[in-house]
Amino acid sequence: MSFFRLPFLAALLVLLTFSLSSCDAIGTIFKAGAWTALIGIFLLILLFWFIVRKMRG
C-alpha cells in the first residue's frame, strides 16, 4: 500500500507546484495593496483639505 502511495503523493506535489504560482499570487496582492494605498492617500489629502477649508472660513 505504501509503495503506491509515494508516487501518487509525488505526482500530486508536482501538479500543485505547477498549478499554484505563488509569484503570481504575491504580485496580485502587491498590486491590490498599491492601489489601496493610493486611494487611501488621496482620501486623506481630500479630508485634510476639507478640514483646512472649514477652519479658514
Side-chain angles (χ1 to χ4, degrees):
M1 179 98 169
S2 65
F3 178 72
F4 292 110
R5 192 173 187 185
L6 182 62
F8 175 72
L9 289 177
L12 184 63
L13 182 63
V14 169
L15 179 67
L16 285 175
T17 56
F18 285 123
S19 65
L20 298 175
S21 176
S22 62
C23 292
D24 187 38
I26 290 173
T28 305
I29 290 169
F30 279 129
K31 284 180 187 176
W35 279 110
T36 303
L38 286 173
I39 292 170
I41 290 169
F42 179 73
L43 290 174
L44 283 175
I45 290 171
L46 282 177
L47 179 66
F48 181 73
W49 178 71
F50 178 76
I51 291 172
V52 169
R53 193 166 174 210
K54 287 292 182 181
M55 290 176 86
R56 286 190 176 178

Short mmCIF file of all heavy atoms in Angstrom, two decimals:
data_model
loop_
_atom_site.label_atom_id
_atom_site.label_comp_id
_atom_site.label_asym_id
_atom_site.label_seq_id
_atom_site.Cartn_x
_atom_site.Cartn_y
_atom_site.Cartn_z
N MET A 1 0.82 -1.19 0.00
CA MET A 1 0.00 0.00 0.00
C MET A 1 0.87 1.26 0.00
O MET A 1 0.62 2.18 -0.74
CB MET A 1 -0.93 -0.02 1.21
CG MET A 1 -1.80 1.16 1.32
SD MET A 1 -3.40 0.75 0.67
CE MET A 1 -4.32 2.13 1.18
N SER A 2 1.90 1.31 0.83
CA SER A 2 2.73 2.50 0.89
C SER A 2 3.62 2.62 -0.35
O SER A 2 4.09 3.70 -0.66
CB SER A 2 3.60 2.49 2.15
OG SER A 2 4.51 1.41 2.08
N PHE A 3 3.84 1.51 -1.07
CA PHE A 3 4.64 1.54 -2.30
C PHE A 3 3.93 2.38 -3.37
O PHE A 3 4.56 3.13 -4.11
CB PHE A 3 4.88 0.11 -2.81
CG PHE A 3 5.64 0.09 -4.10
CD1 PHE A 3 6.99 0.41 -4.13
CD2 PHE A 3 5.01 -0.24 -5.28
CE1 PHE A 3 7.68 0.39 -5.33
CE2 PHE A 3 5.70 -0.26 -6.47
CZ PHE A 3 7.03 0.05 -6.49
N PHE A 4 2.61 2.29 -3.44
CA PHE A 4 1.85 3.06 -4.42
C PHE A 4 1.56 4.48 -3.93
O PHE A 4 1.29 5.37 -4.71
CB PHE A 4 0.52 2.36 -4.73
CG PHE A 4 0.72 1.07 -5.46
CD1 PHE A 4 0.47 -0.14 -4.83
CD2 PHE A 4 1.17 1.06 -6.77
CE1 PHE A 4 0.65 -1.32 -5.51
CE2 PHE A 4 1.35 -0.12 -7.45
CZ PHE A 4 1.09 -1.32 -6.81
N ARG A 5 1.64 4.68 -2.64
CA ARG A 5 1.31 5.98 -2.07
C ARG A 5 2.38 7.03 -2.37
O ARG A 5 2.06 8.18 -2.63
CB ARG A 5 1.13 5.81 -0.56
CG ARG A 5 0.53 6.98 0.11
CD ARG A 5 0.25 6.66 1.54
NE ARG A 5 -0.49 7.71 2.17
CZ ARG A 5 -0.80 7.74 3.43
NH1 ARG A 5 -0.42 6.75 4.20
NH2 ARG A 5 -1.47 8.73 3.93
N LEU A 6 3.64 6.67 -2.34
CA LEU A 6 4.72 7.62 -2.56
C LEU A 6 4.69 8.22 -3.97
O LEU A 6 4.75 9.45 -4.09
CB LEU A 6 6.07 6.96 -2.27
CG LEU A 6 7.29 7.87 -2.42
CD1 LEU A 6 7.22 9.02 -1.44
CD2 LEU A 6 8.56 7.07 -2.22
N PRO A 7 4.57 7.43 -5.04
CA PRO A 7 4.49 8.06 -6.36
C PRO A 7 3.25 8.94 -6.53
O PRO A 7 3.31 9.98 -7.19
CB PRO A 7 4.46 6.89 -7.33
CG PRO A 7 5.06 5.76 -6.59
CD PRO A 7 4.71 5.99 -5.16
N PHE A 8 2.16 8.53 -5.93
CA PHE A 8 0.94 9.33 -6.01
C PHE A 8 1.14 10.68 -5.34
O PHE A 8 0.77 11.72 -5.89
CB PHE A 8 -0.24 8.58 -5.38
CG PHE A 8 -1.50 9.39 -5.32
CD1 PHE A 8 -2.22 9.67 -6.47
CD2 PHE A 8 -1.95 9.90 -4.11
CE1 PHE A 8 -3.37 10.42 -6.41
CE2 PHE A 8 -3.10 10.66 -4.04
CZ PHE A 8 -3.81 10.91 -5.21
N LEU A 9 1.73 10.69 -4.15
CA LEU A 9 1.97 11.94 -3.44
C LEU A 9 2.99 12.81 -4.18
O LEU A 9 2.85 14.03 -4.23
CB LEU A 9 2.45 11.66 -2.01
CG LEU A 9 1.39 11.11 -1.06
CD1 LEU A 9 2.00 10.80 0.29
CD2 LEU A 9 0.24 12.08 -0.92
N ALA A 10 4.00 12.18 -4.76
CA ALA A 10 5.00 12.95 -5.52
C ALA A 10 4.35 13.59 -6.75
O ALA A 10 4.61 14.76 -7.06
CB ALA A 10 6.15 12.04 -5.93
N ALA A 11 3.51 12.85 -7.46
CA ALA A 11 2.83 13.40 -8.62
C ALA A 11 1.88 14.52 -8.21
O ALA A 11 1.77 15.54 -8.90
CB ALA A 11 2.06 12.30 -9.35
N LEU A 12 1.20 14.36 -7.11
CA LEU A 12 0.31 15.40 -6.62
C LEU A 12 1.07 16.66 -6.25
O LEU A 12 0.65 17.78 -6.55
CB LEU A 12 -0.48 14.88 -5.42
CG LEU A 12 -1.54 15.81 -4.84
CD1 LEU A 12 -2.62 16.07 -5.87
CD2 LEU A 12 -2.13 15.21 -3.58
N LEU A 13 2.23 16.50 -5.63
CA LEU A 13 3.05 17.64 -5.25
C LEU A 13 3.56 18.39 -6.49
O LEU A 13 3.53 19.62 -6.53
CB LEU A 13 4.23 17.18 -4.40
CG LEU A 13 5.16 18.26 -3.88
CD1 LEU A 13 4.42 19.20 -2.96
CD2 LEU A 13 6.34 17.64 -3.18
N VAL A 14 3.98 17.64 -7.50
CA VAL A 14 4.43 18.27 -8.74
C VAL A 14 3.29 19.01 -9.42
O VAL A 14 3.45 20.13 -9.91
CB VAL A 14 5.05 17.22 -9.68
CG1 VAL A 14 5.29 17.78 -11.06
CG2 VAL A 14 6.35 16.69 -9.10
N LEU A 15 2.12 18.42 -9.44
CA LEU A 15 0.95 19.06 -10.03
C LEU A 15 0.61 20.35 -9.29
O LEU A 15 0.30 21.38 -9.92
CB LEU A 15 -0.24 18.10 -10.01
CG LEU A 15 -1.54 18.64 -10.58
CD1 LEU A 15 -1.40 18.86 -12.09
CD2 LEU A 15 -2.68 17.69 -10.30
N LEU A 16 0.67 20.34 -7.98
CA LEU A 16 0.37 21.54 -7.21
C LEU A 16 1.40 22.64 -7.44
O LEU A 16 1.05 23.81 -7.50
CB LEU A 16 0.29 21.20 -5.72
CG LEU A 16 -0.97 20.48 -5.27
CD1 LEU A 16 -0.88 20.10 -3.80
CD2 LEU A 16 -2.20 21.33 -5.51
N THR A 17 2.67 22.27 -7.57
CA THR A 17 3.68 23.30 -7.77
C THR A 17 3.54 23.97 -9.13
O THR A 17 3.85 25.14 -9.29
CB THR A 17 5.11 22.73 -7.64
OG1 THR A 17 5.28 21.66 -8.55
CG2 THR A 17 5.39 22.28 -6.23
N PHE A 18 3.06 23.23 -10.13
CA PHE A 18 2.86 23.84 -11.44
C PHE A 18 1.55 24.63 -11.51
O PHE A 18 1.45 25.59 -12.25
CB PHE A 18 2.88 22.78 -12.55
CG PHE A 18 4.26 22.29 -12.86
CD1 PHE A 18 4.56 20.95 -12.77
CD2 PHE A 18 5.25 23.17 -13.26
CE1 PHE A 18 5.83 20.49 -13.07
CE2 PHE A 18 6.52 22.72 -13.55
CZ PHE A 18 6.82 21.38 -13.45
N SER A 19 0.56 24.22 -10.77
CA SER A 19 -0.74 24.87 -10.88
C SER A 19 -0.88 26.08 -9.96
O SER A 19 -1.64 26.99 -10.25
CB SER A 19 -1.87 23.88 -10.60
OG SER A 19 -1.79 23.45 -9.25
N LEU A 20 -0.16 26.11 -8.86
CA LEU A 20 -0.25 27.23 -7.93
C LEU A 20 1.01 28.07 -8.04
O LEU A 20 2.03 27.75 -7.48
CB LEU A 20 -0.40 26.71 -6.49
CG LEU A 20 -1.65 25.89 -6.19
CD1 LEU A 20 -1.59 25.35 -4.78
CD2 LEU A 20 -2.89 26.70 -6.40
N SER A 21 0.91 29.14 -8.76
CA SER A 21 2.06 30.02 -8.95
C SER A 21 2.06 31.06 -7.85
O SER A 21 1.28 32.00 -7.85
CB SER A 21 1.99 30.68 -10.31
OG SER A 21 3.04 31.58 -10.46
N SER A 22 2.94 30.90 -6.89
CA SER A 22 2.96 31.82 -5.75
C SER A 22 3.44 33.20 -6.15
O SER A 22 3.02 34.20 -5.58
CB SER A 22 3.85 31.25 -4.65
OG SER A 22 5.18 31.11 -5.11
N CYS A 23 4.32 33.29 -7.12
CA CYS A 23 4.80 34.61 -7.56
C CYS A 23 3.65 35.43 -8.15
O CYS A 23 3.56 36.64 -7.93
CB CYS A 23 5.91 34.47 -8.59
SG CYS A 23 7.41 33.79 -7.90
N ASP A 24 2.80 34.77 -8.90
CA ASP A 24 1.65 35.47 -9.48
C ASP A 24 0.70 35.94 -8.38
O ASP A 24 0.19 37.06 -8.43
CB ASP A 24 0.93 34.54 -10.45
CG ASP A 24 -0.16 35.24 -11.22
OD1 ASP A 24 0.05 36.42 -11.58
OD2 ASP A 24 -1.20 34.62 -11.46
N ALA A 25 0.48 35.10 -7.39
CA ALA A 25 -0.41 35.48 -6.29
C ALA A 25 0.17 36.64 -5.50
O ALA A 25 -0.54 37.59 -5.15
CB ALA A 25 -0.64 34.28 -5.37
N ILE A 26 1.46 36.61 -5.22
CA ILE A 26 2.09 37.69 -4.46
C ILE A 26 2.07 38.99 -5.28
O ILE A 26 1.83 40.07 -4.74
CB ILE A 26 3.52 37.29 -4.06
CG1 ILE A 26 3.46 36.19 -3.01
CG2 ILE A 26 4.30 38.48 -3.53
CD1 ILE A 26 4.78 35.60 -2.65
N GLY A 27 2.30 38.88 -6.58
CA GLY A 27 2.23 40.06 -7.44
C GLY A 27 0.86 40.70 -7.43
O GLY A 27 0.72 41.92 -7.39
N THR A 28 -0.17 39.87 -7.45
CA THR A 28 -1.54 40.38 -7.40
C THR A 28 -1.83 41.07 -6.06
O THR A 28 -2.47 42.12 -6.03
CB THR A 28 -2.54 39.24 -7.63
OG1 THR A 28 -2.21 38.59 -8.85
CG2 THR A 28 -3.96 39.74 -7.68
N ILE A 29 -1.34 40.49 -4.99
CA ILE A 29 -1.54 41.09 -3.67
C ILE A 29 -0.86 42.45 -3.58
O ILE A 29 -1.42 43.42 -3.07
CB ILE A 29 -1.03 40.13 -2.57
CG1 ILE A 29 -1.96 38.91 -2.48
CG2 ILE A 29 -0.94 40.83 -1.22
CD1 ILE A 29 -1.41 37.80 -1.62
N PHE A 30 0.36 42.55 -4.11
CA PHE A 30 1.07 43.83 -4.07
C PHE A 30 0.39 44.87 -4.95
O PHE A 30 0.35 46.05 -4.59
CB PHE A 30 2.53 43.66 -4.49
CG PHE A 30 3.40 43.15 -3.38
CD1 PHE A 30 4.22 42.06 -3.59
CD2 PHE A 30 3.40 43.75 -2.15
CE1 PHE A 30 5.03 41.59 -2.58
CE2 PHE A 30 4.21 43.29 -1.12
CZ PHE A 30 5.03 42.21 -1.34
N LYS A 31 -0.15 44.46 -6.10
CA LYS A 31 -0.87 45.41 -6.95
C LYS A 31 -2.11 45.94 -6.23
O LYS A 31 -2.40 47.13 -6.26
CB LYS A 31 -1.27 44.76 -8.27
CG LYS A 31 -0.14 44.60 -9.23
CD LYS A 31 -0.61 43.94 -10.50
CE LYS A 31 0.54 43.63 -11.41
NZ LYS A 31 0.11 42.90 -12.61
N ALA A 32 -2.84 45.04 -5.59
CA ALA A 32 -4.03 45.46 -4.86
C ALA A 32 -3.65 46.37 -3.70
O ALA A 32 -4.34 47.36 -3.42
CB ALA A 32 -4.79 44.23 -4.35
N GLY A 33 -2.55 46.05 -3.02
CA GLY A 33 -2.09 46.88 -1.92
C GLY A 33 -1.66 48.25 -2.38
O GLY A 33 -1.92 49.26 -1.71
N ALA A 34 -1.03 48.34 -3.53
CA ALA A 34 -0.59 49.63 -4.07
C ALA A 34 -1.80 50.50 -4.41
O ALA A 34 -1.82 51.70 -4.09
CB ALA A 34 0.29 49.42 -5.29
N TRP A 35 -2.79 49.91 -5.06
CA TRP A 35 -4.00 50.69 -5.39
C TRP A 35 -4.74 51.12 -4.14
O TRP A 35 -5.24 52.23 -4.06
CB TRP A 35 -4.91 49.89 -6.31
CG TRP A 35 -4.48 49.96 -7.73
CD1 TRP A 35 -3.93 48.96 -8.47
CD2 TRP A 35 -4.51 51.11 -8.58
NE1 TRP A 35 -3.63 49.41 -9.72
CE2 TRP A 35 -3.98 50.73 -9.83
CE3 TRP A 35 -4.95 52.41 -8.41
CZ2 TRP A 35 -3.87 51.62 -10.89
CZ3 TRP A 35 -4.83 53.30 -9.47
CH2 TRP A 35 -4.31 52.90 -10.70
N THR A 36 -4.80 50.27 -3.15
CA THR A 36 -5.46 50.61 -1.89
C THR A 36 -4.73 51.76 -1.21
O THR A 36 -5.37 52.69 -0.69
CB THR A 36 -5.53 49.39 -0.96
OG1 THR A 36 -6.19 48.34 -1.65
CG2 THR A 36 -6.26 49.71 0.32
N ALA A 37 -3.41 51.73 -1.22
CA ALA A 37 -2.63 52.81 -0.61
C ALA A 37 -2.83 54.12 -1.36
O ALA A 37 -2.98 55.17 -0.73
CB ALA A 37 -1.15 52.42 -0.60
N LEU A 38 -2.84 54.07 -2.68
CA LEU A 38 -3.04 55.30 -3.46
C LEU A 38 -4.41 55.92 -3.19
O LEU A 38 -4.54 57.13 -3.01
CB LEU A 38 -2.88 55.02 -4.94
CG LEU A 38 -1.45 54.80 -5.42
CD1 LEU A 38 -1.44 54.37 -6.88
CD2 LEU A 38 -0.64 56.05 -5.23
N ILE A 39 -5.43 55.09 -3.14
CA ILE A 39 -6.78 55.58 -2.86
C ILE A 39 -6.85 56.14 -1.44
O ILE A 39 -7.45 57.20 -1.20
CB ILE A 39 -7.82 54.47 -3.09
CG1 ILE A 39 -7.90 54.15 -4.59
CG2 ILE A 39 -9.19 54.87 -2.56
CD1 ILE A 39 -8.71 52.92 -4.90
N GLY A 40 -6.22 55.44 -0.49
CA GLY A 40 -6.21 55.92 0.90
C GLY A 40 -5.51 57.25 1.04
O GLY A 40 -5.99 58.15 1.76
N ILE A 41 -4.37 57.42 0.39
CA ILE A 41 -3.64 58.69 0.45
C ILE A 41 -4.47 59.80 -0.18
O ILE A 41 -4.54 60.92 0.36
CB ILE A 41 -2.27 58.54 -0.23
CG1 ILE A 41 -1.37 57.64 0.62
CG2 ILE A 41 -1.62 59.90 -0.45
CD1 ILE A 41 -0.10 57.21 -0.07
N PHE A 42 -5.09 59.52 -1.30
CA PHE A 42 -5.94 60.51 -1.95
C PHE A 42 -7.09 60.94 -1.03
O PHE A 42 -7.38 62.13 -0.90
CB PHE A 42 -6.49 59.94 -3.27
CG PHE A 42 -7.38 60.89 -4.01
CD1 PHE A 42 -6.87 61.99 -4.66
CD2 PHE A 42 -8.75 60.66 -4.05
CE1 PHE A 42 -7.70 62.87 -5.33
CE2 PHE A 42 -9.59 61.52 -4.72
CZ PHE A 42 -9.06 62.64 -5.37
N LEU A 43 -7.72 59.98 -0.37
CA LEU A 43 -8.81 60.32 0.54
C LEU A 43 -8.33 61.12 1.74
O LEU A 43 -9.03 62.04 2.21
CB LEU A 43 -9.54 59.05 0.99
CG LEU A 43 -10.36 58.35 -0.08
CD1 LEU A 43 -10.92 57.03 0.45
CD2 LEU A 43 -11.48 59.24 -0.57
N LEU A 44 -7.15 60.81 2.25
CA LEU A 44 -6.60 61.58 3.37
C LEU A 44 -6.29 63.02 2.97
O LEU A 44 -6.53 63.95 3.74
CB LEU A 44 -5.35 60.90 3.92
CG LEU A 44 -5.58 59.68 4.79
CD1 LEU A 44 -4.26 59.02 5.16
CD2 LEU A 44 -6.34 60.06 6.05
N ILE A 45 -5.77 63.20 1.77
CA ILE A 45 -5.50 64.55 1.28
C ILE A 45 -6.80 65.33 1.14
O ILE A 45 -6.88 66.50 1.52
CB ILE A 45 -4.71 64.50 -0.04
CG1 ILE A 45 -3.29 64.00 0.24
CG2 ILE A 45 -4.68 65.85 -0.72
CD1 ILE A 45 -2.49 63.71 -1.01
N LEU A 46 -7.83 64.68 0.60
CA LEU A 46 -9.13 65.35 0.49
C LEU A 46 -9.70 65.72 1.86
O LEU A 46 -10.24 66.81 2.04
CB LEU A 46 -10.12 64.46 -0.26
CG LEU A 46 -9.99 64.41 -1.76
CD1 LEU A 46 -11.00 63.44 -2.34
CD2 LEU A 46 -10.21 65.79 -2.36
N LEU A 47 -9.56 64.82 2.81
CA LEU A 47 -10.05 65.10 4.16
C LEU A 47 -9.29 66.25 4.80
O LEU A 47 -9.88 67.15 5.41
CB LEU A 47 -9.94 63.84 5.03
CG LEU A 47 -10.39 63.97 6.48
CD1 LEU A 47 -11.90 64.21 6.52
CD2 LEU A 47 -10.03 62.73 7.26
N PHE A 48 -7.98 66.26 4.65
CA PHE A 48 -7.16 67.35 5.19
C PHE A 48 -7.53 68.68 4.54
O PHE A 48 -7.68 69.71 5.21
CB PHE A 48 -5.67 67.03 4.97
CG PHE A 48 -4.76 68.07 5.50
CD1 PHE A 48 -4.56 68.22 6.86
CD2 PHE A 48 -4.08 68.92 4.64
CE1 PHE A 48 -3.71 69.20 7.36
CE2 PHE A 48 -3.23 69.90 5.12
CZ PHE A 48 -3.05 70.04 6.48
N TRP A 49 -7.72 68.67 3.23
CA TRP A 49 -8.11 69.88 2.51
C TRP A 49 -9.48 70.38 2.98
O TRP A 49 -9.68 71.58 3.18
CB TRP A 49 -8.14 69.58 1.01
CG TRP A 49 -8.57 70.73 0.17
CD1 TRP A 49 -7.89 71.88 -0.09
CD2 TRP A 49 -9.83 70.85 -0.50
NE1 TRP A 49 -8.64 72.70 -0.89
CE2 TRP A 49 -9.84 72.09 -1.16
CE3 TRP A 49 -10.93 70.02 -0.62
CZ2 TRP A 49 -10.91 72.52 -1.92
CZ3 TRP A 49 -12.00 70.46 -1.38
CH2 TRP A 49 -11.98 71.69 -2.02
N PHE A 50 -10.41 69.47 3.19
CA PHE A 50 -11.73 69.82 3.67
C PHE A 50 -11.67 70.46 5.05
O PHE A 50 -12.32 71.48 5.32
CB PHE A 50 -12.63 68.58 3.68
CG PHE A 50 -14.01 68.83 4.21
CD1 PHE A 50 -14.95 69.48 3.43
CD2 PHE A 50 -14.37 68.40 5.47
CE1 PHE A 50 -16.23 69.69 3.91
CE2 PHE A 50 -15.63 68.61 5.97
CZ PHE A 50 -16.58 69.26 5.17
N ILE A 51 -10.88 69.88 5.95
CA ILE A 51 -10.77 70.41 7.33
C ILE A 51 -10.13 71.78 7.30
O ILE A 51 -10.60 72.71 8.00
CB ILE A 51 -9.99 69.42 8.21
CG1 ILE A 51 -10.82 68.17 8.44
CG2 ILE A 51 -9.61 70.06 9.54
CD1 ILE A 51 -10.09 67.05 9.13
N VAL A 52 -9.06 71.96 6.54
CA VAL A 52 -8.40 73.26 6.45
C VAL A 52 -9.34 74.30 5.88
O VAL A 52 -9.41 75.44 6.36
CB VAL A 52 -7.10 73.15 5.63
CG1 VAL A 52 -6.53 74.53 5.29
CG2 VAL A 52 -6.07 72.33 6.37
N ARG A 53 -10.10 73.93 4.89
CA ARG A 53 -11.04 74.87 4.26
C ARG A 53 -12.13 75.30 5.25
O ARG A 53 -12.54 76.46 5.28
CB ARG A 53 -11.64 74.20 3.04
CG ARG A 53 -12.36 75.15 2.16
CD ARG A 53 -12.65 74.53 0.82
NE ARG A 53 -13.48 75.46 0.07
CZ ARG A 53 -14.36 75.11 -0.82
NH1 ARG A 53 -14.51 73.84 -1.12
NH2 ARG A 53 -15.07 75.99 -1.45
N LYS A 54 -12.62 74.35 6.05
CA LYS A 54 -13.66 74.67 7.04
C LYS A 54 -13.10 75.56 8.16
O LYS A 54 -13.81 76.41 8.69
CB LYS A 54 -14.24 73.39 7.67
CG LYS A 54 -15.14 72.64 6.73
CD LYS A 54 -16.40 73.43 6.47
CE LYS A 54 -17.33 72.69 5.60
NZ LYS A 54 -18.55 73.43 5.29
N MET A 55 -11.84 75.38 8.52
CA MET A 55 -11.25 76.17 9.60
C MET A 55 -11.00 77.62 9.15
O MET A 55 -11.08 78.54 9.97
CB MET A 55 -9.94 75.54 10.07
CG MET A 55 -10.13 74.25 10.81
SD MET A 55 -8.57 73.48 11.22
CE MET A 55 -8.23 74.29 12.75
N ARG A 56 -10.74 77.81 7.88
CA ARG A 56 -10.46 79.15 7.38
C ARG A 56 -11.73 79.98 7.17
O ARG A 56 -11.68 81.19 7.09
CB ARG A 56 -9.69 79.08 6.07
CG ARG A 56 -8.27 78.67 6.29
CD ARG A 56 -7.48 78.84 5.03
NE ARG A 56 -6.08 78.54 5.28
CZ ARG A 56 -5.17 78.57 4.37
NH1 ARG A 56 -5.48 78.91 3.13
NH2 ARG A 56 -3.93 78.29 4.66
N GLY A 57 -12.82 79.33 7.04
CA GLY A 57 -13.98 80.17 6.94
C GLY A 57 -15.06 79.68 6.10
O GLY A 57 -16.05 80.13 5.88
#
